[in-house]
Amino acid sequence: MENEFEFIKNKLRPLTFSKKEARGLSDDCAFFEKIKDLVVSVDSSIEGVHVPEGTDIDIQARRAVLRSISDLATFGSTPICVFTAMSLPSTFKQQDFDQIAEGYRKALVEYDIFLAGGDITSHEGLPIFSVTAFGANANKELGRNKTKPGDLIVVSGSIGDSFLGLEILKNNLKVSSLEEENLIKKFLIPEPKIELGKDIKSFANSIIDISDGLLSELNHLCENSGVGSEVYIRDIPISSTAKNYIASNLYNYKDLLSGGDDYELLYTIDPKDKALIDDNSFIIGKINSDKKIILYSEEGKSIDIKNEIIGYKHF
Amino acid sequence: MENEFEFIKNKLRPLTFSKKEARGLSDDCAFFEKIKDLVVSVDSSIEGVHVPEGTDIDIQARRAVLRSISDLATFGSTPICVFTAMSLPSTFKQQDFDQIAEGYRKALVEYDIFLAGGDITSHEGLPIFSVTAFGANANKELGRNKTKPGDLIVVSGSIGDSFLGLEILKNNLKVSSLEEENLIKKFLIPEPKIELGKDIKSFANSIIDISDGLLSELNHLCENSGVGSEVYIRDIPISSTAKNYIASNLYNYKDLLSGGDDYELLYTIDPKDKALIDDNSFIIGKINSDKKIILYSEEGKSIDIKNEIIGYKHF
């Protein structure tokens, strides 16, 4: 079996795609002469926390990279590279390492980015991937604190599918249809909205990516901007598969809107820019000055969402 | 107790020292308009792997930051900021979080840098700190692959004290003197050689920091440059405390030279620049074209070091 030095040389060095900044992964640091308007994000993915125990290791590695570059979309930036710190079980075998490299490779190739550096250690717990992602040409006027009363709230795609995919995985439910396979895929292989981020960076006032649940992220956005909002369930895009789950009373709308892992963009725009949003984006509500979030049911009744807006708490 | 959002707001946000790049830790990303000649390094510190189980959590946090900025010294760069991804036991209490923030604060203040971002997750294992460190104004001609036959090998300070400190901690040995306390301190609170890195960046040909043991790092340097070297034990700076340990036959020179965690700089210079090295640095040998490392004992005999040059292997 390769030791970690050989693994770096044989399997990870090719993932630098010979970019000079990575210096062949042979130095202590990566080197960047200049990057204009650089954004940097750090995210950890832990087996048993972010993905169910037993998730294939190539998927864990790939998903860790995808999740971390999703943050870069919130500044409309172009992803450049990632650094990965891996803490892996000391029992890992050659095949596990090869699969990790393959998982990385898929994510890197898909988003035309390279591996710039990182760190490998063994530990007694489950696998942990901490990814630092770099994006360039970001718009610093974006972020979470620039929305204002009157802005429209927009979401870039269906909400809740990923949550349902995770439920299927966690509960070991039988997958009986292509639709259910797609829910699982939506959870395991997120699709960061990089191109959309670039398209909307000129007219969106605030952008956030939905990792912790739509209501939680909307709450962050409102708190940081010192505003409130009203949101209409009837306007939130929900897939037909997810609607079937709701119709069967297995889950309700609040579950979908607080479930998380959608990796869609939630953004706000001035009403005058309404015509600029793309065909997959939907206006789901409006920012006001009330400093609270009111969710309206399909029948137009306001729903108490105190607990749902908080999102996942680790402690 | 604070949840992680309150912890970030109350205890970590002050560690940004209001630097605009950190955006108050309230966005998904940090933002840098421009950084010239940026170097980036990622390092993980795991309780039970990099520090003994039971090490105070403030020390773990502080040491994780110090270790990661040591890499920045190898490019003669000026540290700017760090990002920290923490995976912490779900049983952690308010006091643990407060101590982590205090550990970070000490390291940040000492090196005049700020916290730019990061991530907090709970997991079932021991604490893990993954730190991404940024340095500016680096010299890209440096690194590990630029040394050449005829260069002198220089080390910036005593080797082996930190290894002995770790031995005392690991074996729960009784600490009976100030000297032994200093060995432990050298291990727990490394002193990255940032100023030295800046001083030597104009004349050093290659620089590496000694995290994995002098012989292992020298081997990396030689391998990457396609050269060999000869090193003289009599010229390697060893503290009087460490010499006492060797005199008592508890440890030998090979232990000290392969122990690691010194965080001194190992660098090579052209002989014509000999007069430029500082008073704490010592010439310990010479680069040659033999593609192997020969270590000479105090009596001038060559010592077999095949196993010692490899350093710590995680897998």
Side-chain angles (χ1 to χ4, degrees):
Chain A
M1 186 179 133
E2 295 171 332
N3 64 37
E4 69 260 36
F5 300 111
E6 292 157 345
F7 171 60
I8 292 169
K9 197 168 135 185
N10 299 335
K11 305 287 162 55
L12 297 185
R13 187 176 290 171
L15 302 182
T16 66
F17 303 114
S18 303
K19 288 283 158 67
K20 67 181 193 312
E21 290 86 350
R23 301 175 75 93
L25 304 182
S26 62
D27 281 315
D28 290 311
C29 300
F31 183 97
F32 300 84
E33 255 173 76
K34 56 182 170 198
I35 305 177
K36 208 176 130 40
D37 296 335
L38 166 70
V39 278
V40 182
S41 171
V42 179
D43 265 299
S44 297
S45 292
I46 308 183
E47 183 176 331
V49 179
H50 299 91
V51 292
E53 275 194 53
T55 300
D56 291 346
I57 196 68
D58 57 333
I59 298 282
Q60 289 191 46
R62 183 175 173 188
R63 187 173 189 274
V65 171
L66 295 173
R67 281 181 71 220
S68 87
I69 65 173
S70 177
D71 286 328
L72 305 179
T74 65
F75 282 83
S77 74
T78 304
I80 305 173
C81 61
V82 292
F83 298 76
T84 65
M86 306 177 233
S87 306
L88 303 173
S90 49
T91 53
F92 261 29
K93 301 278 178 288
Q94 182 73 49
Q95 196 190 354
D96 300 305
F97 287 102
D98 291 350
Q99 288 196 1
I100 288 170
E102 178 58 17
Y104 284 153
R105 198 190 60 76
K106 283 198 174 120
L108 298 173
V109 166
E110 190 180 353
Y111 285 87
D112 194 18
I113 58 180
F114 63 97
L115 181 67
D119 182 65
I120 306 174
T121 49
S122 65
H123 77 142
E124 293 312 307
L126 291 167
I128 301 181
F129 298 89
S130 287
V131 179
T132 303
F134 274 26
N137 301 318
N139 179 351
K140 79 167 165 191
E141 300 308 322
L142 288 167
R144 301 178 171 189
N145 64 348
K146 299 281 167 54
T147 190
K148 55 184 198 310
D151 275 1
L152 302 176
I153 303 165
V154 190
V155 72
S156 66
S158 296
I159 298 300
D161 287 350
S162 182
F163 162 77
L164 292 170
L166 176 58
E167 286 292 301
I168 294 171
L169 288 171
K170 278 202 309 202
N171 300 309
N172 290 312
L173 298 182
K174 208 171 128 278
V175 179
S176 52
S177 66
L178 182 62
E179 284 76 14
E180 288 177 344
E181 266 175 39
N182 283 336
L183 298 179
I184 293 173
K185 195 177 165 204
K186 179 113 190 190
F187 172 77
L188 289 177
I189 319 278
E191 296 182 8
K193 295 290 177 286
I194 297 298
E195 289 308 313
L196 181 70
K198 291 190 219 171
D199 290 344
I200 64 177
K201 73 174 167 183
S202 60
F203 65 92
N205 295 332
S206 266
I207 310 181
I208 199 164
D209 72 318
I210 305 175
S211 51
D212 259 3
L214 185 141
L215 296 174
S216 169
E217 304 295 359
L218 180 62
N219 185 50
H220 288 315
L221 209 153
C222 288
E223 274 196 350
N224 280 292
S225 297
V227 297
S229 58
E230 52 196 67
V231 175
Y232 297 86
I233 282 183
R234 63 165 182 264
D235 295 330
I236 297 175
I238 307 279
S239 72
S240 54
T241 319
K243 278 187 176 152
N244 288 342
Y245 274 84
I246 288 174
S248 68
N249 290 317
L250 283 170
Y251 298 99
N252 62 34
Y253 281 115
K254 287 204 285 186
D255 294 330
L256 304 192
L257 305 185
S258 53
D261 291 308
D262 298 296
Y263 299 104
E264 297 293 343
L265 296 182
L266 179 72
Y267 58 105
T268 63
I269 61 169
D270 192 284
K272 75 172 165 38
D273 293 324
K274 210 170 148 175
L276 298 175
I277 67 170
D278 76 320
D279 290 345
N280 297 312
S281 290
F282 293 84
I283 295 166
I284 63 167
K286 194 158 71 176
I287 299 294
N288 59 39
S289 52
D290 284 350
K291 305 213 175 176
K292 59 185 176 188
I293 296 175
I294 298 175
L295 180 66
Y296 289 97
S297 73
E298 286 187 296
E299 297 79 28
K301 284 187 187 156
S302 68
I303 305 175
D304 181 13
I305 51 160
K306 265 199 301 298
N307 297 317
E308 285 75 10
I309 61 173
I310 292 171
Y312 187 79
K313 280 211 306 271
H314 285 273
F315 295 96
Chain B
M1 185 179 134
E2 295 170 334
N3 63 37
E4 70 260 34
F5 300 111
E6 293 157 344
F7 171 61
I8 293 169
K9 197 169 137 186
N10 299 335
K11 305 288 163 54
L12 296 185
R13 188 177 290 171
L15 302 181
T16 66
F17 304 112
S18 302
K19 288 283 158 66
K20 66 179 193 314
E21 290 86 350
R23 301 176 75 94
L25 303 182
S26 62
D27 281 315
D28 290 311
C29 301
F31 183 97
F32 301 84
E33 254 173 78
K34 56 181 170 199
I35 306 177
K36 207 176 130 39
D37 295 336
L38 166 70
V39 278
V40 182
S41 170
V42 178
D43 266 300
S44 298
S45 292
I46 308 184
E47 184 176 329
V49 178
H50 300 91
V51 293
E53 274 193 54
T55 300
D56 291 345
I57 196 69
D58 58 332
I59 299 281
Q60 289 192 44
R62 184 174 172 188
R63 188 174 189 273
V65 171
L66 295 173
R67 280 181 71 220
S68 87
I69 65 174
S70 177
D71 287 328
L72 305 179
T74 65
F75 283 83
S77 75
T78 304
I80 305 173
C81 62
V82 292
F83 298 76
T84 65
M86 305 177 234
S87 305
L88 304 172
S90 50
T91 52
F92 260 30
K93 300 278 177 292
Q94 182 74 47
Q95 196 190 353
D96 300 305
F97 287 102
D98 292 350
Q99 288 197 1
I100 288 171
E102 180 56 16
Y104 284 153
R105 198 190 61 76
K106 283 198 175 120
L108 298 174
V109 166
E110 191 180 352
Y111 285 88
D112 194 19
I113 58 180
F114 63 97
L115 181 66
D119 181 65
I120 306 174
T121 48
S122 66
H123 77 142
E124 293 313 307
L126 290 167
I128 301 181
F129 297 88
S130 288
V131 179
T132 303
F134 273 26
N137 301 318
N139 178 351
K140 80 167 164 191
E141 299 308 323
L142 288 167
R144 302 178 170 188
N145 64 348
K146 298 281 167 56
T147 191
K148 57 186 195 312
D151 275 1
L152 302 176
I153 303 165
V154 190
V155 72
S156 67
S158 296
I159 298 300
D161 288 352
S162 183
F163 162 76
L164 292 170
L166 175 58
E167 286 292 301
I168 294 171
L169 288 171
K170 278 202 309 203
N171 301 308
N172 290 311
L173 298 181
K174 208 169 130 278
V175 179
S176 53
S177 67
L178 182 63
E179 283 77 16
E180 288 178 345
E181 266 175 39
N182 283 335
L183 298 180
I184 292 173
K185 196 179 164 202
K186 178 112 191 193
F187 172 77
L188 289 177
I189 321 279
E191 295 182 8
K193 296 290 175 291
I194 296 298
E195 288 309 313
L196 181 69
K198 291 190 218 171
D199 291 343
I200 65 177
K201 75 174 165 184
S202 60
F203 64 92
N205 295 332
S206 266
I207 310 181
I208 199 164
D209 72 319
I210 306 176
S211 51
D212 260 3
L214 186 141
L215 296 175
S216 168
E217 304 295 0
L218 180 60
N219 185 50
H220 288 314
L221 210 152
C222 288
E223 274 197 350
N224 279 291
S225 297
V227 296
S229 59
E230 52 198 66
V231 174
Y232 298 86
I233 282 183
R234 63 165 182 265
D235 295 329
I236 298 174
I238 307 281
S239 72
S240 54
T241 319
K243 279 186 175 153
N244 288 341
Y245 274 84
I246 287 174
S248 68
N249 290 317
L250 282 169
Y251 299 98
N252 62 35
Y253 281 114
K254 286 203 288 187
D255 293 330
L256 304 192
L257 305 184
S258 53
D261 290 308
D262 300 295
Y263 299 105
E264 297 293 343
L265 296 182
L266 179 72
Y267 57 104
T268 63
I269 61 169
D270 193 285
K272 75 173 164 39
D273 294 322
K274 208 170 149 177
L276 299 175
I277 68 171
D278 76 321
D279 290 346
N280 296 313
S281 290
F282 293 85
I283 295 166
I284 62 167
K286 193 158 72 178
I287 299 294
N288 59 40
S289 51
D290 284 351
K291 305 213 173 172
K292 59 185 175 189
I293 297 174
I294 298 175
L295 180 65
Y296 290 96
S297 74
E298 287 185 296
E299 297 79 26
K301 283 187 190 155
S302 68
I303 304 174
D304 180 12
I305 51 160
K306 265 199 301 296
N307 297 316
E308 286 75 11
I309 61 173
I310 292 170
Y312 188 79
K313 279 212 307 271
H314 285 274
F315 295 95

